[in-house]
């Protein structure tokens, strides 16, 4: 009776060891490539960061939050009422993300993040006439055109920049408000994932995953990058669709479609969330067959944002084609695919942590040895596997070379629920917390 658990623990350790070796290889090979050929354009490969051991005003809070979640998180996740758990998870995630961001100080860790030369706030003044800016948007994507957009603006559809323009118009201008927006909204992604896991698999599994969604090393990059905000929008897309295919009201499908349309206009690469949405439809196929309105509302909702931007003069397809040109004009055309296609996965290990690596191994085992496709663990494993497939599709595309620890946050959020399969959660939570604290205190993770 004790052999199977023992084999499982050994399997977990082997998986984590393999992931650690992948990270080590990415560091050593990356260091060689950067020092000898200068073709990676990152100072601490594979992560876009600088070696900078430091402490800051957020350090005491980060240690306290980590200790509290490790000590009390698993028990509270079981005992709290469901809505109380959602509120507590969001609050703890906010505390964890804010404290990690403030390890770098207010200016360097929050207020200055979105005001650097490649970031969104640098072009707010060019959107004084929003319709005209949208009509003209594609004329400034390619390098060499008049007044080309900075990298992050050129690399995304205009809804990303427009978010910060509208914040500025609402009186919430400046880097501080922009950083607060990304952290506050981005931290809701953990709630969205919990809602979806409960709807599609089981409340028990959602409760077991909750502390890991809070204590994710991904919080290092959620605070404060726009990709944390994108991750939340994408996560709520999946959560609302999960409610539509499992709940009483199919109206949630319209909201899911609306958010999916917005997701595609925040980041070109997040169109891959269609794969995760398809997984939700497969898991809820009985209700979808019984209520065809789910698909109709989903499609109708998904059309809203594209129609609005198209009528305003922005051509998504043209923007994407021009982005590909811009990408290969810059460092994306120099960074070697042969390194990043696997080093990106090492970045992902750092984002999701060792617990998720072990959880993914167990999720894979649940799929291979499934007794019934209707069981909650198999349903969760299927959802996580499709999220991993979407991430791998982004990887092989060649349009994500470096900085994926930030860019792939939306996909990483859906790998974290695999931690629900793990026994001894406190030990794994400790490993997650230590990794995040080390990353944030030894490196300055700029972007």
């Amino acid at each position: 009776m004790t052999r199977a658990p023992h084999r499982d623990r050994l399997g977990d350790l082997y998986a984590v060891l393999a992931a650690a070796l992948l990270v080590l290889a990415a560091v050593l090979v990356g260091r060689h490539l950067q020092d000898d050929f200068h073709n990676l354009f990152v100072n601490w490969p594979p992560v876009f960061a600088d070696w900078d051991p430091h402490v800051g005003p957020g350090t005491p809070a980060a240690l306290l939050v980590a200790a509290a979640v490790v000590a009390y998180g698993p028990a509270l996740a079981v005992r709290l009422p469901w809505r109380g758990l959602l509120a507590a998870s969001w609050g703890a995630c906010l505390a964890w993300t804010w404290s990690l961001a403030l390890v770098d100080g207010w200016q360097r860790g929050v207020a200055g993040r979105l005001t650097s030369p490649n970031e969104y706030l640098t072009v707010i003044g060019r959107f004084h006439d929003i319709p005209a800016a949208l009509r003209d948007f594609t004329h400034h994507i390619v390098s060499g055109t008049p007044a080309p957009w900075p990298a992050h603006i050129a690399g995304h559809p205009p809804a990303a920049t427009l978010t910060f323009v509208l914040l500025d118009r609402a009186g919430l201008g400046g880097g501080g408000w922009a950083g607060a927006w990304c952290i506050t909204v981005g931290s809701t992604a953990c709630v969205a994932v919990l809602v979806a896991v409960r709807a599609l698999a089981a409340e028990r599994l959602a409760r077991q995953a909750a502390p890991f969604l809070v204590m994710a090393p991904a919080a290092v990059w959620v605070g404060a990058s726009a990709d944390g905000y994108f991750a939340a929008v994408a996560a709520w897309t999946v959560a609302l669709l999960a409610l539509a295919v499992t709940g009483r009201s199919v109206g949630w499908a319209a909201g899911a479609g609306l958010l999916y349309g917005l997701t595609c206009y925040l980041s070109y690469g997040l169109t891959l969330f269609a794969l995760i949405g398809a997984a939700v439809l497969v898991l809820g196929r009985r209700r979808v067959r019984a209520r065809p309105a789910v698909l109709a509302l989903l499609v109708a909702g998904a059309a809203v944002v594209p129609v609005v931007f198209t009528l305003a003069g922005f051509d998504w397809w043209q923007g994407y084609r021009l982005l590909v040109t811009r990408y290969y004009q810059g460092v994306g055309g120099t960074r070697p695919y042969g390194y990043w296609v696997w080093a990106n996965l090492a970045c992902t290990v750092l984002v999701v942590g060792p617990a998720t690596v072990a959880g993914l191994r167990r999720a894979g085992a649940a799929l291979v040895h499934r007794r019934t496709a209707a069981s909650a663990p198999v349903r969760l494993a299927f959802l996580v596997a499709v999220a991993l497939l979407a991430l791998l599709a982004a990887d092989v595309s060649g349009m994500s070379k470096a900085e994926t620890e930030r860019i792939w946050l939306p996909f990483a959020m859906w790998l974290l629920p695999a931690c629900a399969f793990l026994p001894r959660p406190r030990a794994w939570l400790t490993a997650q917390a230590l990794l995040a604290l080390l990353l944030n205190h030894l490196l300055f993770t700029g972007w």
Side-chain angles (χ1 to χ4, degrees):
M1 294 294 290
T2 61
R3 289 182 180 178
H6 178 67
R7 285 198 300 269
D8 282 338
R9 287 195 293 272
L10 279 178
D12 294 341
L13 292 176
Y14 289 147
V16 171
L17 177 60
L21 291 174
L22 176 67
V23 172
L24 179 61
V27 171
L28 296 178
V29 174
R31 189 71 273 158
H32 166 69
L33 291 173
Q34 181 62 14
D35 290 346
D36 291 358
F37 302 100
H38 309 288
N39 59 353
L40 298 188
F41 299 95
V42 293
N43 293 330
W44 204 86
V47 179
F48 193 86
D50 294 302
W51 179 256
D52 182 23
H54 63 286
V55 296
T59 298
L63 293 171
L64 286 173
V65 172
V69 173
V70 170
Y72 303 107
L76 288 174
V78 173
R79 296 172 186 170
L80 285 174
W82 176 249
R83 291 186 180 180
L85 174 62
L86 295 181
S89 296
W90 184 30
C93 193
L94 272 173
W96 179 234
T97 308
W98 270 110
S99 61
L100 288 174
L102 290 172
V103 168
D104 298 323
W106 169 254
Q107 182 60 36
R108 195 167 75 145
V110 179
R113 289 291 193 179
L114 293 161
T115 61
S116 61
N118 286 323
E119 284 287 359
Y120 302 96
L121 297 192
T122 60
V123 300
I124 296 293
R126 294 173 62 176
F127 278 75
H128 61 276
D129 184 340
I130 291 176
L134 292 177
R135 289 192 299 269
D136 199 42
F137 192 87
T138 57
H139 297 156
H140 305 285
I141 292 177
V142 176
S143 295
T145 56
W149 297 120
H152 287 185
I153 293 83
H156 295 81
T161 306
L162 196 56
T163 298
F164 300 101
V165 171
L166 295 177
L167 279 176
D168 184 76
R169 294 281 181 89
L172 304 178
W177 284 113
W181 167 268
C182 292
I183 292 173
T184 304
V185 177
S187 295
T188 68
C190 77
V191 179
V193 175
L194 289 176
V195 168
V197 171
R198 183 193 189 218
L200 296 171
E203 183 174 320
R204 171 182 60 84
L205 292 172
R207 289 178 177 275
Q208 290 170 196
F212 293 96
L213 285 159
V214 169
M215 194 58 32
V220 171
W221 292 276
V222 172
S225 75
D227 294 271
Y229 156 53
F230 303 162
V233 177
W236 282 108
T237 299
V238 178
L240 294 187
L241 185 57
L243 292 176
V245 301
T246 60
R248 294 180 180 179
S249 174
V250 297
W252 293 113
L258 183 66
L259 289 181
Y260 178 68
L262 176 58
T263 298
C264 293
Y265 278 72
L266 290 171
S267 174
Y268 294 105
L270 294 187
T271 53
L272 286 170
F273 258 73
L275 291 174
I276 303 176
V280 174
L281 293 176
V282 169
L283 292 173
R285 58 191 177 276
R286 291 183 181 178
R287 182 169 175 81
V288 173
R289 285 196 297 263
R291 301 287 297 275
V294 170
L295 288 178
L297 289 170
L298 179 64
V299 172
V304 173
V305 173
V307 166
V308 169
F309 275 92
T310 301
L311 291 176
F314 172 72
D315 185 332
W316 191 96
W317 291 103
Q318 182 187 26
Y320 179 71
R321 289 193 298 270
L322 293 171
L323 165 64
V324 174
T325 300
R326 170 70 178 265
Y327 185 78
Y328 285 99
Q329 286 178 324
V331 297
T334 303
R335 285 170 170 162
Y337 180 87
Y339 171 76
W340 288 110
V341 73
W342 59 271
N344 285 337
L345 302 180
C347 293
T348 304
V349 170
L350 296 175
V351 173
V352 300
T356 307
V357 172
L360 287 171
R361 187 204 69 80
R362 289 181 177 249
L367 285 175
V368 171
H369 302 297
R370 65 183 185 276
R371 294 181 180 179
T372 169
S375 71
V378 172
R379 292 165 69 84
L380 175 58
F382 175 71
L383 181 65
V384 168
V386 174
L388 180 59
L389 176 64
L391 184 148
L392 293 174
D395 189 28
V396 300
S397 73
M399 289 296 290
S400 296
K401 296 197 288 285
E403 302 181 59
T404 51
E405 65 274 8
R406 168 182 56 82
I407 297 169
W408 288 355
L409 281 174
F411 302 110
M413 294 297 174
W414 293 95
L415 304 183
L416 297 171
C419 296
F421 293 109
L422 296 174
R424 300 183 178 180
R426 286 190 178 88
W428 288 111
L429 282 169
T430 301
Q432 297 288 89
L434 285 174
L435 175 59
L437 290 167
L438 287 172
L439 285 169
N440 217 64
H441 285 83
L442 294 178
L443 304 174
F444 175 64
T445 52
W447 48 81

